[in-house]
């Protein structure tokens, strides 16, 4: 059964969301698109909340959030219980977000990152396992 990944964006991340939704499906994931559905201006906390709920409830194993910078989405997502959202900008931050932080939400800046860098982040984030060990103790202290 394919793994489920939820994705959501505000208007600042709308274009990149379309690209990454396509990429997720091409990679064989069952992708849930939680909006936004148009370029009309919306409030990023609403979309972060919807995605956080999907991940925390187990409807999606992981999530991807995109706003203009990624900053608003990461602040908003990390206010939700059970969410470890990591704002990443390259392969290294995406890899370490998984290996060290067990991040369950990848956050990207749609107006900051190029499309290829964003796809790299997505692929790396999804393909990398948590290392556990000393990192598990630290992650446990987050909650
Ligand atoms: C929207 O204009 C912009 O503020 C938003 O996408 C995001 O960058 C906030 O952090």
């Amino acid at each position: 059964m394919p793994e489920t990944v939820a994705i959501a964006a505000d208007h600042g991340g709308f274009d990149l969301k379309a690209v990454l939704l396509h990429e997720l499906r091409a990679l064989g994931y069952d992708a849930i698109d939680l909006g936004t559905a148009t370029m009309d201006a919306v409030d990023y906390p609403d979309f972060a909340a919807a995605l956080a709920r999907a991940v925390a409830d187990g409807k999606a194993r992981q999530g991807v959030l995109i706003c203009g910078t990624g900053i608003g989405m990461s602040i908003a997502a990390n206010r939700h219980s059970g969410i470890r959202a990591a704002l990443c900008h390259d392969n290294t931050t995406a890899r370490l977000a998984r290996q060290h932080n067990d991040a369950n939400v990848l956050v990207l800046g749609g107006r900051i990152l190029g499309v290829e860098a964003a796809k790299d982040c997505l692929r790396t984030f999804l393909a990398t396992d948590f290392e556990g060990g000393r990192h598990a103790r630290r992650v446990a202290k987050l909650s």
Side-chain angles (χ1 to χ4, degrees):
M1 202 168 104
E3 282 178 8
T4 302
V5 176
I7 187 166
D10 73 355
H11 50 291
F14 179 75
D15 288 340
L16 184 57
K17 176 167 70 67
V19 172
L20 296 188
L21 192 55
H22 183 270
E23 183 71 8
L24 280 169
R25 289 175 176 152
L27 290 169
Y29 289 91
D30 186 359
I32 307 175
D33 182 0
L34 295 174
T36 186
T38 73
M39 283 291 287
D40 293 348
V42 291
D43 298 338
Y44 58 80
D46 298 336
F47 293 85
L51 186 129
R53 211 174 304 121
V55 173
D57 291 353
K59 292 191 178 108
R61 188 174 70 96
Q62 290 176 315
V64 181
L65 283 171
I66 315 164
C67 63
T69 59
I71 296 170
M73 281 293 197
S74 52
I75 293 170
N78 279 312
R79 298 180 69 84
H80 295 271
S81 175
I83 298 302
R84 291 176 302 280
L87 175 55
C88 298
H89 49 266
D90 56 20
N91 252 322
T92 306
T93 47
R95 175 174 57 79
L96 289 170
R98 290 288 310 128
Q99 288 178 332
H100 288 192
N101 310 109
D102 198 16
N104 51 11
V105 176
L106 170 68
V107 189
L108 300 170
R111 294 175 179 156
I112 306 293
L113 278 186
V115 165
E116 292 307 320
K119 283 187 192 173
D120 278 351
C121 287
L122 179 69
R123 286 191 217 103
T124 299
F125 188 87
L126 295 173
T128 305
D129 290 329
F130 180 46
E131 277 182 0
R134 68 189 188 281
H135 302 296
R137 183 183 69 242
R138 294 164 186 162
V139 169
K141 289 186 179 183
L142 295 173
S143 46

